[in-house]
Amino acid sequence: MNKKSLVSIDDLSTDEMVSILDLAEEFEKQPSQTLLEGKVIATLFFEPSTRTRLSFESAISRLGGKIVGFTDASSSSVTKGETLNDTIRTVTNYCDMIVMRHPIEGSARLASEIADVPVINAGDGANQHPTQTMLDLYSIRKTQGSLDKLNLFLVGDLKYGRTVHSLLMAMSRWNTTFNFISPEELRIPVEYKLYLDKLGLRYYEHSDFTEIIKEADIIYMTRVQKERFSDPMEYEKVKNVYVLRNHMLRETKENMKILHPLPRVNEIHTDVDMNEKSYYFQQALNGVYTRQAIITRLLNLK
Ligand code: CP
Protein backbone atom coordinates (compact mmCIF):
# COMPACT_ATOMS: atom_id res chain seq x y z
CA MET A 1 0.00 0.00 0.00
CA ASN A 2 1.28 3.45 -0.87
CA LYS A 3 0.89 5.19 2.49
CA LYS A 4 1.90 8.63 3.62
CA SER A 5 1.97 9.45 7.32
CA LEU A 6 2.21 12.81 9.05
CA VAL A 7 4.62 12.47 11.96
CA SER A 8 6.70 15.66 11.80
CA ILE A 9 5.73 18.94 10.20
CA ASP A 10 8.79 18.48 7.98
CA ASP A 11 7.04 15.48 6.39
CA LEU A 12 5.15 18.10 4.37
CA SER A 13 6.67 20.20 1.62
CA THR A 14 5.73 23.88 1.51
CA ASP A 15 3.51 23.19 -1.52
CA GLU A 16 1.74 20.39 0.37
CA MET A 17 1.16 22.69 3.33
CA VAL A 18 -0.35 25.40 1.12
CA SER A 19 -2.48 22.84 -0.67
CA ILE A 20 -3.84 21.54 2.68
CA LEU A 21 -4.61 25.10 3.78
CA ASP A 22 -6.44 25.76 0.52
CA LEU A 23 -8.43 22.54 0.91
CA ALA A 24 -9.26 23.43 4.52
CA GLU A 25 -10.81 26.65 3.21
CA GLU A 26 -13.09 24.54 1.06
CA PHE A 27 -14.09 22.42 4.07
CA GLU A 28 -14.80 25.58 6.04
CA LYS A 29 -17.33 26.54 3.36
CA GLN A 30 -18.86 23.06 3.40
CA PRO A 31 -17.75 20.84 6.31
CA SER A 32 -20.36 18.10 5.85
CA GLN A 33 -19.38 15.71 3.07
CA THR A 34 -19.28 11.97 2.38
CA LEU A 35 -15.63 11.47 1.41
CA LEU A 36 -14.94 9.04 4.27
CA GLU A 37 -17.99 6.84 3.76
CA GLY A 38 -16.96 3.21 4.34
CA LYS A 39 -13.69 4.23 6.06
CA VAL A 40 -12.74 3.53 9.67
CA ILE A 41 -10.23 5.70 11.52
CA ALA A 42 -8.65 4.69 14.84
CA THR A 43 -8.00 7.41 17.40
CA LEU A 44 -5.53 6.15 20.00
CA PHE A 45 -5.04 8.64 22.80
CA PHE A 46 -2.46 7.49 25.34
CA GLU A 47 -2.49 11.03 26.79
CA PRO A 48 -5.44 13.32 27.63
CA SER A 49 -6.88 15.63 24.99
CA THR A 50 -9.94 17.78 24.42
CA ARG A 51 -9.42 19.69 21.17
CA THR A 52 -7.23 17.36 19.18
CA ARG A 53 -9.29 14.25 19.76
CA LEU A 54 -12.70 15.89 19.50
CA SER A 55 -11.84 17.96 16.45
CA PHE A 56 -10.43 14.86 14.73
CA GLU A 57 -13.57 12.94 15.62
CA SER A 58 -15.76 15.81 14.50
CA ALA A 59 -13.79 16.05 11.23
CA ILE A 60 -14.16 12.30 10.61
CA SER A 61 -17.87 12.28 11.49
CA ARG A 62 -18.58 15.27 9.23
CA LEU A 63 -16.91 13.40 6.37
CA GLY A 64 -19.05 10.31 6.93
CA GLY A 65 -16.33 8.10 8.44
CA LYS A 66 -16.46 5.81 11.48
CA ILE A 67 -14.23 6.00 14.55
CA VAL A 68 -12.77 3.25 16.74
CA GLY A 69 -10.25 3.76 19.52
CA PHE A 70 -9.65 4.72 23.11
CA THR A 71 -9.39 7.97 25.02
CA ASP A 72 -7.34 6.59 27.83
CA ALA A 73 -4.62 3.93 27.67
CA SER A 74 -5.93 2.47 30.94
CA SER A 75 -8.95 1.13 29.05
CA SER A 76 -6.68 -0.71 26.57
CA SER A 77 -4.47 -3.79 26.97
CA VAL A 78 -1.50 -1.51 27.67
CA THR A 79 -2.45 -2.03 31.34
CA LYS A 80 -1.77 -5.75 30.83
CA GLY A 81 1.72 -5.01 29.51
CA GLU A 82 1.03 -4.84 25.77
CA THR A 83 3.78 -3.01 23.87
CA LEU A 84 3.18 -0.13 21.47
CA ASN A 85 4.45 -2.38 18.68
CA ASP A 86 1.77 -4.99 19.38
CA THR A 87 -1.01 -2.41 19.83
CA ILE A 88 -0.21 -0.84 16.47
CA ARG A 89 0.18 -4.21 14.70
CA THR A 90 -3.26 -5.13 15.98
CA VAL A 91 -5.07 -1.83 15.34
CA THR A 92 -3.69 -1.54 11.79
CA ASN A 93 -5.96 -4.53 10.95
CA TYR A 94 -9.07 -2.67 12.04
CA CYS A 95 -8.82 0.67 10.28
CA ASP A 96 -7.77 2.78 7.28
CA MET A 97 -5.78 5.32 9.30
CA ILE A 98 -4.42 5.76 12.84
CA VAL A 99 -4.43 9.05 14.75
CA MET A 100 -2.23 8.70 17.81
CA ARG A 101 -1.19 10.81 20.80
CA HIS A 102 1.50 9.35 23.03
CA PRO A 103 3.71 10.77 25.82
CA ILE A 104 6.96 9.36 24.41
CA GLU A 105 8.93 11.34 21.81
CA GLY A 106 9.44 9.29 18.68
CA SER A 107 6.47 7.00 19.38
CA ALA A 108 4.55 8.30 16.35
CA ARG A 109 7.49 7.66 14.02
CA LEU A 110 7.77 4.13 15.40
CA ALA A 111 4.02 3.58 14.92
CA SER A 112 4.24 4.85 11.33
CA GLU A 113 6.97 2.31 10.59
CA ILE A 114 4.93 -0.57 12.04
CA ALA A 115 1.46 0.27 10.70
CA ASP A 116 0.21 -0.71 7.24
CA VAL A 117 -2.02 2.38 7.22
CA PRO A 118 -1.12 6.10 7.44
CA VAL A 119 -0.38 7.38 10.94
CA ILE A 120 -1.08 10.93 12.04
CA ASN A 121 0.90 12.19 15.02
CA ALA A 122 -1.53 13.94 17.38
CA GLY A 123 1.34 14.87 19.71
CA ASP A 124 4.35 12.80 20.86
CA GLY A 125 5.73 14.03 24.17
CA ALA A 126 7.63 17.32 23.85
CA ASN A 127 8.52 16.58 20.23
CA GLN A 128 5.93 17.47 17.55
CA HIS A 129 2.24 18.26 17.02
CA PRO A 130 2.02 18.73 13.25
CA THR A 131 -1.76 18.90 12.85
CA GLN A 132 -1.87 21.65 15.50
CA THR A 133 0.67 23.48 13.38
CA MET A 134 -1.49 23.16 10.28
CA LEU A 135 -4.43 24.71 12.11
CA ASP A 136 -2.10 27.39 13.49
CA LEU A 137 -0.93 28.18 9.95
CA TYR A 138 -4.54 28.25 8.80
CA SER A 139 -5.42 30.68 11.61
CA ILE A 140 -2.43 32.90 10.90
CA ARG A 141 -3.06 33.02 7.14
CA LYS A 142 -6.77 33.65 7.65
CA THR A 143 -6.23 36.55 10.05
CA GLN A 144 -3.11 38.12 8.49
CA GLY A 145 -3.96 37.48 4.84
CA SER A 146 -0.54 35.88 4.29
CA LEU A 147 2.13 33.86 6.08
CA ASP A 148 4.98 35.99 4.73
CA LYS A 149 7.43 37.99 6.84
CA LEU A 150 5.48 38.08 10.09
CA ASN A 151 6.78 38.97 13.53
CA LEU A 152 5.89 35.96 15.64
CA PHE A 153 6.05 36.08 19.44
CA LEU A 154 6.24 32.66 21.09
CA VAL A 155 5.61 32.91 24.82
CA GLY A 156 5.82 30.48 27.75
CA ASP A 157 7.07 26.93 27.70
CA LEU A 158 9.37 26.89 24.70
CA LYS A 159 11.40 23.97 25.99
CA TYR A 160 8.74 21.27 26.22
CA GLY A 161 6.10 22.90 24.00
CA ARG A 162 5.64 20.57 21.02
CA THR A 163 3.27 23.03 19.36
CA VAL A 164 6.02 25.66 19.47
CA HIS A 165 8.59 23.30 17.97
CA SER A 166 6.36 22.31 15.06
CA LEU A 167 5.20 25.89 14.45
CA LEU A 168 8.76 27.22 14.42
CA MET A 169 9.76 24.67 11.79
CA ALA A 170 6.73 25.46 9.64
CA MET A 171 6.91 29.25 9.88
CA SER A 172 10.60 29.18 9.03
CA ARG A 173 9.43 28.53 5.44
CA TRP A 174 7.93 32.05 5.26
CA ASN A 175 10.77 34.31 6.35
CA THR A 176 9.38 34.83 9.83
CA THR A 177 11.09 36.86 12.55
CA PHE A 178 10.88 34.92 15.82
CA ASN A 179 10.73 36.41 19.29
CA PHE A 180 11.13 33.85 22.07
CA ILE A 181 9.81 34.91 25.48
CA SER A 182 10.32 32.39 28.25
CA PRO A 183 11.75 31.91 31.73
CA GLU A 184 15.39 30.84 31.78
CA GLU A 185 14.37 27.26 32.65
CA LEU A 186 12.05 26.91 29.63
CA ARG A 187 14.10 28.48 26.85
CA ILE A 188 13.84 27.25 23.29
CA PRO A 189 16.19 24.25 22.88
CA VAL A 190 19.46 24.96 21.14
CA GLU A 191 18.68 22.63 18.22
CA TYR A 192 15.83 24.91 17.14
CA LYS A 193 18.11 27.94 17.26
CA LEU A 194 20.64 26.07 15.14
CA TYR A 195 17.80 25.19 12.75
CA LEU A 196 17.02 28.91 12.33
CA ASP A 197 20.71 29.83 12.13
CA LYS A 198 21.15 27.42 9.27
CA LEU A 199 18.28 29.09 7.41
CA GLY A 200 19.64 32.57 8.16
CA LEU A 201 16.43 33.61 9.94
CA ARG A 202 16.26 36.26 12.64
CA TYR A 203 15.33 35.39 16.20
CA TYR A 204 15.53 37.18 19.53
CA GLU A 205 15.25 35.89 23.08
CA HIS A 206 13.61 37.94 25.82
CA SER A 207 12.69 37.42 29.44
CA ASP A 208 9.79 39.90 29.30
CA PHE A 209 7.50 41.14 26.52
CA THR A 210 5.54 44.06 27.94
CA GLU A 211 7.80 46.64 26.27
CA ILE A 212 7.97 44.96 22.86
CA ILE A 213 4.46 43.55 22.53
CA LYS A 214 3.43 46.35 20.14
CA GLU A 215 5.73 44.92 17.46
CA ALA A 216 3.96 41.55 17.29
CA ASP A 217 1.78 40.36 14.40
CA ILE A 218 0.95 37.14 16.24
CA ILE A 219 1.37 36.39 19.94
CA TYR A 220 1.39 32.64 20.45
CA MET A 221 0.86 31.98 24.16
CA THR A 222 1.54 28.54 25.64
CA ARG A 223 0.83 26.80 28.90
CA VAL A 224 3.64 25.82 31.25
CA GLN A 225 3.03 22.07 31.20
CA LYS A 226 2.94 20.66 34.70
CA GLU A 227 3.04 17.10 33.34
CA ARG A 228 6.52 17.61 31.83
CA PHE A 229 8.17 18.52 35.19
CA SER A 230 9.67 15.83 37.42
CA ASP A 231 10.13 18.35 40.28
CA PRO A 232 6.85 20.09 41.33
CA MET A 233 8.84 22.96 42.91
CA GLU A 234 10.40 23.78 39.53
CA TYR A 235 6.88 23.98 38.05
CA GLU A 236 5.69 26.26 40.88
CA LYS A 237 8.59 28.64 40.20
CA VAL A 238 7.70 29.25 36.55
CA LYS A 239 3.98 28.52 36.18
CA ASN A 240 2.75 32.14 36.38
CA VAL A 241 5.69 34.09 35.00
CA TYR A 242 3.72 35.36 31.98
CA VAL A 243 0.09 36.38 32.24
CA LEU A 244 -1.38 38.28 29.30
CA ARG A 245 -4.01 40.83 30.38
CA ASN A 246 -6.32 43.01 28.38
CA HIS A 247 -4.72 46.33 29.37
CA MET A 248 -1.38 45.12 27.93
CA LEU A 249 -2.91 45.06 24.43
CA ARG A 250 -3.63 48.78 24.17
CA GLU A 251 -0.73 49.71 21.91
CA THR A 252 -0.59 46.49 19.91
CA LYS A 253 -1.06 46.41 16.12
CA GLU A 254 -4.66 46.70 14.95
CA ASN A 255 -4.59 43.33 13.20
CA MET A 256 -2.49 41.52 15.80
CA LYS A 257 -4.02 38.22 16.93
CA ILE A 258 -3.47 36.17 20.07
CA LEU A 259 -3.28 32.43 19.52
CA HIS A 260 -2.97 29.62 22.05
CA PRO A 261 -3.12 25.88 21.32
CA LEU A 262 -5.09 25.52 24.57
CA PRO A 263 -5.78 24.37 27.21
CA ARG A 264 -4.82 27.51 29.13
CA VAL A 265 -4.36 27.78 32.85
CA ASN A 266 -3.48 31.36 33.94
CA GLU A 267 -1.32 32.60 31.06
CA ILE A 268 -4.18 34.44 29.32
CA HIS A 269 -6.45 36.26 31.75
CA THR A 270 -10.13 35.82 30.94
CA ASP A 271 -10.41 39.60 30.50
CA VAL A 272 -8.65 39.11 27.14
CA ASP A 273 -11.40 36.80 25.86
CA MET A 274 -13.71 39.65 24.81
CA ASN A 275 -10.93 41.54 23.04
CA GLU A 276 -11.24 41.20 19.25
CA LYS A 277 -7.52 40.40 19.15
CA SER A 278 -8.14 37.10 20.93
CA TYR A 279 -8.46 34.29 18.42
CA TYR A 280 -7.84 31.06 20.37
CA PHE A 281 -11.38 29.68 20.30
CA GLN A 282 -11.76 30.30 16.54
CA GLN A 283 -8.31 28.71 16.21
CA ALA A 284 -9.66 25.56 17.89
CA LEU A 285 -12.60 25.54 15.45
CA ASN A 286 -10.19 25.78 12.53
CA GLY A 287 -8.84 22.43 13.72
CA VAL A 288 -11.88 20.67 12.27
CA TYR A 289 -11.36 22.03 8.73
CA THR A 290 -7.60 21.53 8.67
CA ARG A 291 -7.93 17.97 10.01
CA GLN A 292 -10.55 17.21 7.37
CA ALA A 293 -8.06 18.43 4.78
CA ILE A 294 -5.14 16.43 6.25
CA ILE A 295 -7.12 13.19 6.45
CA THR A 296 -8.47 13.39 2.91
CA ARG A 297 -5.03 14.32 1.50
CA LEU A 298 -3.25 11.44 3.28
CA LEU A 299 -5.91 9.01 2.12
CA ASN A 300 -5.73 10.42 -1.39
CA LEU A 301 -9.46 11.11 -1.51
CA LYS A 302 -10.69 13.55 -4.07
N1 CP B 1 -4.11 21.92 21.40
C1 CP B 1 -4.21 20.68 21.94
O1 CP B 1 -3.44 19.77 21.62
O2 CP B 1 -5.22 20.56 22.84
P1 CP B 1 -5.64 19.20 23.54
O3 CP B 1 -4.50 18.78 24.43
O4 CP B 1 -6.89 19.51 24.31
O5 CP B 1 -5.86 18.20 22.46
Side-chain angles (χ1 to χ4, degrees), residues 45 48-53 101 122 129 132 162-163 261-263 291:
F45 279 73
S49 167
T50 299
R51 278 144 294 274
T52 308
R53 184 175 67 79
R101 170 170 289 187
H129 195 349
Q132 175 70 42
R162 58 193 174 200
T163 64
L262 301 177
R291 287 175 172 129

PDB file of all heavy atoms in Angstrom, residues 45 48-53 101 122 129 132 162-163 261-263 291, ligand 1:
ATOM      1  N   PHE A  45      -5.538   7.565  21.952  1.00  0.00           N
ATOM      2  CA  PHE A  45      -5.037   8.643  22.802  1.00  0.00           C
ATOM      3  C   PHE A  45      -4.492   8.064  24.104  1.00  0.00           C
ATOM      4  O   PHE A  45      -5.247   7.717  25.008  1.00  0.00           O
ATOM      5  CB  PHE A  45      -6.109   9.721  23.020  1.00  0.00           C
ATOM      6  CG  PHE A  45      -6.174  10.669  21.857  1.00  0.00           C
ATOM      7  CD1 PHE A  45      -6.720  10.271  20.642  1.00  0.00           C
ATOM      8  CD2 PHE A  45      -5.624  11.946  21.938  1.00  0.00           C
ATOM      9  CE1 PHE A  45      -6.718  11.124  19.536  1.00  0.00           C
ATOM     10  CE2 PHE A  45      -5.621  12.798  20.846  1.00  0.00           C
ATOM     11  CZ  PHE A  45      -6.173  12.384  19.638  1.00  0.00           C
ATOM     12  N   PRO A  48      -4.165  12.586  27.711  1.00  0.00           N
ATOM     13  CA  PRO A  48      -5.442  13.321  27.635  1.00  0.00           C
ATOM     14  C   PRO A  48      -5.479  14.351  26.499  1.00  0.00           C
ATOM     15  O   PRO A  48      -4.442  14.860  26.072  1.00  0.00           O
ATOM     16  CB  PRO A  48      -5.517  14.047  28.985  1.00  0.00           C
ATOM     17  CG  PRO A  48      -4.542  13.359  29.863  1.00  0.00           C
ATOM     18  CD  PRO A  48      -3.469  12.792  28.983  1.00  0.00           C
ATOM     19  N   SER A  49      -6.678  14.638  26.046  1.00  0.00           N
ATOM     20  CA  SER A  49      -6.878  15.635  24.987  1.00  0.00           C
ATOM     21  C   SER A  49      -8.339  16.056  24.985  1.00  0.00           C
ATOM     22  O   SER A  49      -9.219  15.234  25.219  1.00  0.00           O
ATOM     23  CB  SER A  49      -6.524  15.020  23.630  1.00  0.00           C
ATOM     24  OG  SER A  49      -6.980  15.839  22.580  1.00  0.00           O
ATOM     25  N   THR A  50      -8.572  17.321  24.702  1.00  0.00           N
ATOM     26  CA  THR A  50      -9.942  17.778  24.418  1.00  0.00           C
ATOM     27  C   THR A  50     -10.038  18.127  22.941  1.00  0.00           C
ATOM     28  O   THR A  50     -10.737  17.486  22.163  1.00  0.00           O
ATOM     29  CB  THR A  50     -10.315  19.006  25.282  1.00  0.00           C
ATOM     30  OG1 THR A  50     -10.233  18.624  26.647  1.00  0.00           O
ATOM     31  CG2 THR A  50     -11.726  19.484  24.965  1.00  0.00           C
ATOM     32  N   ARG A  51      -9.297  19.150  22.533  1.00  0.00           N
ATOM     33  CA  ARG A  51      -9.421  19.690  21.174  1.00  0.00           C
ATOM     34  C   ARG A  51      -8.951  18.735  20.087  1.00  0.00           C
ATOM     35  O   ARG A  51      -9.643  18.548  19.081  1.00  0.00           O
ATOM     36  CB  ARG A  51      -8.610  20.995  21.026  1.00  0.00           C
ATOM     37  CG  ARG A  51      -9.293  22.216  21.509  1.00  0.00           C
ATOM     38  CD  ARG A  51      -8.278  23.145  22.126  1.00  0.00           C
ATOM     39  NE  ARG A  51      -7.752  22.510  23.314  1.00  0.00           N
ATOM     40  CZ  ARG A  51      -8.324  22.597  24.515  1.00  0.00           C
ATOM     41  NH1 ARG A  51      -9.385  23.335  24.671  1.00  0.00           N
ATOM     42  NH2 ARG A  51      -7.832  21.954  25.569  1.00  0.00           N
ATOM     43  N   THR A  52      -7.786  18.161  20.273  1.00  0.00           N
ATOM     44  CA  THR A  52      -7.231  17.358  19.176  1.00  0.00           C
ATOM     45  C   THR A  52      -8.129  16.159  18.908  1.00  0.00           C
ATOM     46  O   THR A  52      -8.523  15.891  17.769  1.00  0.00           O
ATOM     47  CB  THR A  52      -5.794  16.915  19.521  1.00  0.00           C
ATOM     48  OG1 THR A  52      -5.054  18.071  19.894  1.00  0.00           O
ATOM     49  CG2 THR A  52      -5.122  16.252  18.326  1.00  0.00           C
ATOM     50  N   ARG A  53      -8.467  15.445  19.971  1.00  0.00           N
ATOM     51  CA  ARG A  53      -9.287  14.252  19.762  1.00  0.00           C
ATOM     52  C   ARG A  53     -10.679  14.613  19.242  1.00  0.00           C
ATOM     53  O   ARG A  53     -11.156  14.053  18.246  1.00  0.00           O
ATOM     54  CB  ARG A  53      -9.407  13.432  21.056  1.00  0.00           C
ATOM     55  CG  ARG A  53     -10.178  12.134  20.856  1.00  0.00           C
ATOM     56  CD  ARG A  53     -10.176  11.293  22.106  1.00  0.00           C
ATOM     57  NE  ARG A  53     -10.910  11.875  23.198  1.00  0.00           N
ATOM     58  CZ  ARG A  53     -12.241  11.849  23.320  1.00  0.00           C
ATOM     59  NH1 ARG A  53     -12.992  11.287  22.394  1.00  0.00           N
ATOM     60  NH2 ARG A  53     -12.835  12.407  24.364  1.00  0.00           N
ATOM     61  N   ARG A 101      -1.921   9.934  19.865  1.00  0.00           N
ATOM     62  CA  ARG A 101      -1.191  10.805  20.805  1.00  0.00           C
ATOM     63  C   ARG A 101      -0.536   9.904  21.835  1.00  0.00           C
ATOM     64  O   ARG A 101      -1.168   8.986  22.372  1.00  0.00           O
ATOM     65  CB  ARG A 101      -2.129  11.795  21.498  1.00  0.00           C
ATOM     66  CG  ARG A 101      -1.435  12.524  22.637  1.00  0.00           C
ATOM     67  CD  ARG A 101      -2.241  13.667  23.185  1.00  0.00           C
ATOM     68  NE  ARG A 101      -2.295  14.783  22.251  1.00  0.00           N
ATOM     69  CZ  ARG A 101      -2.836  15.955  22.544  1.00  0.00           C
ATOM     70  NH1 ARG A 101      -3.376  16.171  23.731  1.00  0.00           N
ATOM     71  NH2 ARG A 101      -2.861  16.921  21.643  1.00  0.00           N
ATOM     72  N   ALA A 122      -0.687  12.942  16.694  1.00  0.00           N
ATOM     73  CA  ALA A 122      -1.530  13.936  17.385  1.00  0.00           C
ATOM     74  C   ALA A 122      -0.819  14.468  18.624  1.00  0.00           C
ATOM     75  O   ALA A 122      -1.453  14.960  19.552  1.00  0.00           O
ATOM     76  CB  ALA A 122      -2.868  13.295  17.754  1.00  0.00           C
ATOM     77  N   HIS A 129       3.711  18.296  17.071  1.00  0.00           N
ATOM     78  CA  HIS A 129       2.243  18.256  17.023  1.00  0.00           C
ATOM     79  C   HIS A 129       1.847  18.859  15.665  1.00  0.00           C
ATOM     80  O   HIS A 129       1.317  19.965  15.586  1.00  0.00           O
ATOM     81  CB  HIS A 129       1.687  19.079  18.190  1.00  0.00           C
ATOM     82  CG  HIS A 129       0.234  18.863  18.485  1.00  0.00           C
ATOM     83  ND1 HIS A 129      -0.619  18.172  17.651  1.00  0.00           N
ATOM     84  CD2 HIS A 129      -0.520  19.268  19.546  1.00  0.00           C
ATOM     85  CE1 HIS A 129      -1.838  18.167  18.188  1.00  0.00           C
ATOM     86  NE2 HIS A 129      -1.792  18.818  19.338  1.00  0.00           N
ATOM     87  N   GLN A 132      -1.659  20.369  14.811  1.00  0.00           N
ATOM     88  CA  GLN A 132      -1.871  21.645  15.503  1.00  0.00           C
ATOM     89  C   GLN A 132      -1.215  22.760  14.685  1.00  0.00           C
ATOM     90  O   GLN A 132      -1.793  23.835  14.497  1.00  0.00           O
ATOM     91  CB  GLN A 132      -1.258  21.593  16.908  1.00  0.00           C
ATOM     92  CG  GLN A 132      -1.325  22.917  17.670  1.00  0.00           C
ATOM     93  CD  GLN A 132      -2.726  23.313  18.092  1.00  0.00           C
ATOM     94  OE1 GLN A 132      -3.486  22.477  18.546  1.00  0.00           O
ATOM     95  NE2 GLN A 132      -3.084  24.580  17.938  1.00  0.00           N
ATOM     96  N   ARG A 162       5.551  21.193  22.359  1.00  0.00           N
ATOM     97  CA  ARG A 162       5.642  20.572  21.024  1.00  0.00           C
ATOM     98  C   ARG A 162       4.959  21.425  19.964  1.00  0.00           C
ATOM     99  O   ARG A 162       5.368  21.418  18.801  1.00  0.00           O
ATOM    100  CB  ARG A 162       5.047  19.165  21.063  1.00  0.00           C
ATOM    101  CG  ARG A 162       3.597  19.107  21.516  1.00  0.00           C
ATOM    102  CD  ARG A 162       3.186  17.689  21.839  1.00  0.00           C
ATOM    103  NE  ARG A 162       1.845  17.621  22.417  1.00  0.00           N
ATOM    104  CZ  ARG A 162       1.400  16.596  23.133  1.00  0.00           C
ATOM    105  NH1 ARG A 162       2.180  15.580  23.388  1.00  0.00           N
ATOM    106  NH2 ARG A 162       0.177  16.593  23.603  1.00  0.00           N
ATOM    107  N   THR A 163       3.934  22.183  20.359  1.00  0.00           N
ATOM    108  CA  THR A 163       3.265  23.031  19.358  1.00  0.00           C
ATOM    109  C   THR A 163       4.215  24.131  18.892  1.00  0.00           C
ATOM    110  O   THR A 163       4.217  24.508  17.724  1.00  0.00           O
ATOM    111  CB  THR A 163       1.975  23.668  19.915  1.00  0.00           C
ATOM    112  OG1 THR A 163       2.306  24.542  20.988  1.00  0.00           O
ATOM    113  CG2 THR A 163       1.000  22.614  20.409  1.00  0.00           C
ATOM    114  N   PRO A 261      -2.626  27.208  21.704  1.00  0.00           N
ATOM    115  CA  PRO A 261      -3.122  25.876  21.315  1.00  0.00           C
ATOM    116  C   PRO A 261      -4.172  25.366  22.299  1.00  0.00           C
ATOM    117  O   PRO A 261      -4.935  24.464  21.951  1.00  0.00           O
ATOM    118  CB  PRO A 261      -1.865  25.009  21.334  1.00  0.00           C
ATOM    119  CG  PRO A 261      -0.883  25.735  22.208  1.00  0.00           C
ATOM    120  CD  PRO A 261      -1.203  27.192  22.079  1.00  0.00           C
ATOM    121  N   LEU A 262      -4.184  25.920  23.495  1.00  0.00           N
ATOM    122  CA  LEU A 262      -5.093  25.519  24.568  1.00  0.00           C
ATOM    123  C   LEU A 262      -4.798  24.071  24.994  1.00  0.00           C
ATOM    124  O   LEU A 262      -4.287  23.313  24.173  1.00  0.00           O
ATOM    125  CB  LEU A 262      -6.554  25.698  24.176  1.00  0.00           C
ATOM    126  CG  LEU A 262      -6.975  27.134  23.788  1.00  0.00           C
ATOM    127  CD1 LEU A 262      -8.453  27.128  23.339  1.00  0.00           C
ATOM    128  CD2 LEU A 262      -6.745  28.130  24.914  1.00  0.00           C
ATOM    129  N   PRO A 263      -5.079  23.625  26.182  1.00  0.00           N
ATOM    130  CA  PRO A 263      -5.784  24.372  27.213  1.00  0.00           C
ATOM    131  C   PRO A 263      -4.902  25.455  27.854  1.00  0.00           C
ATOM    132  O   PRO A 263      -3.695  25.331  27.873  1.00  0.00           O
ATOM    133  CB  PRO A 263      -6.109  23.290  28.239  1.00  0.00           C
ATOM    134  CG  PRO A 263      -4.999  22.291  28.093  1.00  0.00           C
ATOM    135  CD  PRO A 263      -4.668  22.277  26.639  1.00  0.00           C
ATOM    136  N   ARG A 291      -8.063  19.437   9.839  1.00  0.00           N
ATOM    137  CA  ARG A 291      -7.927  17.974  10.011  1.00  0.00           C
ATOM    138  C   ARG A 291      -8.730  17.235   8.929  1.00  0.00           C
ATOM    139  O   ARG A 291      -8.309  16.179   8.465  1.00  0.00           O
ATOM    140  CB  ARG A 291      -8.306  17.586  11.434  1.00  0.00           C
ATOM    141  CG  ARG A 291      -7.192  18.029  12.381  1.00  0.00           C
ATOM    142  CD  ARG A 291      -7.411  17.860  13.832  1.00  0.00           C
ATOM    143  NE  ARG A 291      -6.172  18.167  14.537  1.00  0.00           N
ATOM    144  CZ  ARG A 291      -6.054  19.015  15.565  1.00  0.00           C
ATOM    145  NH1 ARG A 291      -7.110  19.635  16.050  1.00  0.00           N
ATOM    146  NH2 ARG A 291      -4.870  19.232  16.114  1.00  0.00           N
TER     147      ARG A 291
HETATM  148  N1   CP B   1      -4.112  21.921  21.404  1.00  0.00           N
HETATM  149  C1   CP B   1      -4.213  20.683  21.937  1.00  0.00           C
HETATM  150  O1   CP B   1      -3.440  19.767  21.619  1.00  0.00           O
HETATM  151  O2   CP B   1      -5.223  20.563  22.844  1.00  0.00           O
HETATM  152  P1   CP B   1      -5.643  19.204  23.537  1.00  0.00           P
HETATM  153  O3   CP B   1      -4.502  18.778  24.433  1.00  0.00           O
HETATM  154  O4   CP B   1      -6.892  19.511  24.309  1.00  0.00           O
HETATM  155  O5   CP B   1      -5.860  18.196  22.465  1.00  0.00           O
END
